[in-house]
Amino acid sequence: MLSVRIKGLRKEAGLSQEQLAEKIGVSRQAVTKWETGLGLPDLDNLVRLADMFNVTTDSLLRDTPKRVSVSSWRTYESESICDLEGTCDFDIACGYANHVELVGGLSEKVHITLGSDRISDIEKKYKVRLGTGGDTFDISVVPADGATSAEARGSLDIRVVIPSAWMNHVEIAATADTLDVSGLAVTHTEIGGNLNVVSLEGIGGHVDIDVHNGLQIVSDDLPAQLNVNQQSASSTLLIPAGTPFVTRNRGRRCIVVLDGIEETADAPSTIALGGVGSQLTIRHA
C-alpha cells in the first residue's frame, strides 16, 4: 500500500520524516499522515515523491488500494474510535502483543485498531477499555475469555492514533516484540514494559525508556532528551550519521560506549543512561 511504500523508500534513502518533508515542501505532519494511512498526498506531491525517490508514479502507487483508511491493515481487525473534549495526558496499557504502533495523527479523534492475520475472532478475544480521570485519558487493551499471552505475543498487533494537537504527556507500556512511536509533538513521552525493539520518529521533548531487559532503539530524529534506564542490561541505540548529541551517565556501574561515533559539544540532543550495571552502545544506523 502507498503508506508502506512511502515509508520504505524514505528509510532506504536514509531520510527522517522531517528531512523528506523539507525536500518536497510539506510539513512533517503531512508525511506522518501519509505513512500512517490517515491521508493521501495530492497529485503534485505524488510527482514530487516519485522524483525524490527516482521512481515512477506508477511504481509508487502499485498495489495501493483506491481508498486508504486506518482499517486497511490486517486480515482480521477490530477498531474503536473515540472523541476527545480537549488537551489531555494519555496513559496507554497495551498488555501482551506482537507489534505496537503509537502515532500522532491529524484527526481530532482517538483510533485504536487491533489487528491480526491469524486471530479470526479478535473482537471476542480482545477488548479496548477507554476511560477519563481528571486530565488523563486511559486506553487499555485487555484479553477476554480464550485469549492467551502466547497468542497475543505471536499474532496480535495494536495501532493507537492520538490527536497531535491535543496531547500533552504520553505514557505507554507493552510487552511486545516491537514498538514504533512516531509524530508525537509532546513535552514528555514515557515508554515502559518488556520490548525488543523501539523505533522513534519525529518525537519532540523528552523521552524516557524504562525497561529491565536489553533492547535495540532506533531513532530517526533524536528528541531533545533521551533517557534510557535499565537494570543489569545491555542495549544499542542506532542514530543517523551526522546526528549531533552529547551523553550523560547518570547510573551506577553503567557504561556508555560510542562505536565509531563522536559526541558534539553543545549539541541540541542529550542521551542519558541511568539504572544499575547497564551498558548503552551508540552507533550509526
Side-chain angles (χ1 to χ4, degrees):
M1 58 193 303
L2 181 58
S3 58
V4 175
R5 185 86 169 118
I6 293 173
K7 185 173 183 178
L9 288 169
R10 175 178 63 78
K11 286 183 173 292
E12 287 178 13
L15 299 173
S16 66
Q17 289 185 335
E18 186 173 2
Q19 288 170 330
L20 175 59
E22 183 178 351
K23 286 181 178 295
I24 62 175
V26 298
S27 67
R28 181 187 56 75
Q29 290 81 359
V31 175
T32 299
K33 190 175 181 181
W34 300 341
E35 291 189 357
T36 55
L38 292 176
L40 289 170
D42 60 24
L43 182 58
D44 288 341
N45 284 324
L46 277 173
V47 173
R48 293 189 184 101
L49 286 168
D51 290 343
M52 174 70 215
F53 297 128
N54 195 28
V55 298
T56 65
T57 55
D58 179 66
S59 65
L60 190 63
L61 292 167
R62 187 175 298 126
D63 298 328
T64 300
K66 292 182 179 179
R67 177 179 179 271
V68 177
S69 67
V70 174
S71 295
S72 57
W73 188 36
R74 297 293 185 264
T75 304
Y76 307 106
E77 293 182 350
S78 174
E79 185 176 24
S80 302
I81 301 175
C82 182
D83 287 306
L84 288 180
E85 295 182 357
T87 302
C88 59
D89 297 335
F90 288 88
D91 190 349
I92 305 166
C94 296
Y96 290 95
N98 172 52
H99 174 70
V100 178
E101 294 181 25
L102 174 59
V103 180
L106 299 182
S107 168
E108 295 185 354
K109 299 179 183 292
V110 175
H111 295 255
I112 305 100
T113 308
L114 309 183
S116 177
D117 291 328
R118 298 180 183 177
I119 308 171
S120 59
D121 53 350
I122 192 170
E123 291 186 347
K124 295 181 180 179
K125 285 191 173 181
Y126 300 94
K127 305 296 182 182
V128 174
R129 302 282 184 254
L130 305 175
T132 58
D135 295 327
T136 302
F137 190 93
D138 296 315
I139 301 171
S140 299
V141 179
V142 296
D145 292 341
T148 66
S149 58
E151 178 185 58
R153 285 298 301 268
S155 305
L156 178 64
D157 296 336
I158 302 171
R159 171 184 282 172
V160 180
V161 182
I162 54 181
S164 290
W166 287 13
M167 64 178 75
N168 183 24
H169 173 277
V170 176
E171 183 173 351
I172 183 168
T175 298
D177 183 42
T178 57
L179 169 64
D180 291 342
V181 184
S182 62
L184 299 190
V186 293
T187 57
H188 193 189
T189 302
E190 294 186 64
I191 297 171
N194 190 330
L195 301 157
N196 293 326
V197 179
V198 172
S199 174
L200 305 174
E201 289 189 27
I203 312 299
H206 290 196
V207 176
D208 287 332
I209 300 178
D210 300 300
V211 293
H212 292 287
N213 61 296
L215 76 164
Q216 182 181 85
I217 306 165
V218 183
S219 182
D220 279 14
D221 303 290
L222 276 177
Q225 178 84 39
L226 175 60
N227 300 320
V228 181
N229 303 302
Q230 304 175 133
Q231 304 294 324
S232 302
S234 179
S235 293
T236 301
L237 170 62
L238 303 179
I239 62 177
T243 302
F245 69 93
V246 293
T247 64
R248 299 287 183 269
N249 192 333
R250 295 172 178 163
R252 299 201 320 263
R253 304 192 309 276
C254 292
I255 302 173
V256 177
V257 177
L258 303 182
D259 184 3
I261 193 170
E262 295 182 355
E263 297 184 50
T264 304
D266 301 322
S269 296
T270 300
I271 302 168
L273 176 63
V276 179
S278 294
Q279 177 175 308
L280 178 65
T281 300
I282 306 172
R283 62 170 59 104
H284 289 147

